[in-house]
Amino acid sequence: MEGYLEKVFETALVDIGAPAGTSVKFEVPQNAEHGDLSTNVAMALAKILQQPPRKIASEIIGRLKFDNAHVRSVEIAGPGFINISFSREYFIG
């Protein structure tokens, strides 16, 4: 799933003008209510893009094109984390 999400995020990052080769690292949130995976890529890009992390996160989320059979929701949390929750179908399939 991380490989799939990396590709989806890479496309969105190019669309918002992030530098080529910007890497997206995912981790499992400590609190299960925050989704199945989380990334801080928006916070990492804040200084480079000279924009608030939450604004960058919103722009990224707006450009994500994912399969609803895999991803149930993508949300902004805190200062600019992007939390991803997998769909029920992903776990069953």
Side-chain angles (χ1 to χ4, degrees), residues 15-90:
D15 289 349
I16 68 162
T22 299
S23 66
V24 182
K25 296 178 182 151
F26 297 98
E27 56 185 46
V28 176
Q30 291 181 357
N31 184 337
E33 292 178 10
H34 295 161
D36 298 299
L37 288 178
S38 180
T39 181
N40 69 346
V41 69
M43 291 183 287
L45 288 170
K47 189 171 186 176
I48 295 166
L49 298 179
Q50 297 185 358
Q51 295 179 22
R54 287 186 66 92
K55 181 175 188 243
I56 295 169
S58 178
E59 289 180 17
I60 292 169
I61 289 172
R63 288 172 173 79
L64 292 175
K65 294 179 176 82
F66 53 83
D67 184 346
N68 289 333
H70 294 94
V71 177
R72 182 185 69 208
S73 67
V74 181
E75 301 172 340
I76 302 169
F81 289 100
I82 298 175
N83 295 337
I84 302 121
S85 296
F86 303 150
S87 69
R88 183 171 188 256
E89 291 82 8
Y90 169 75

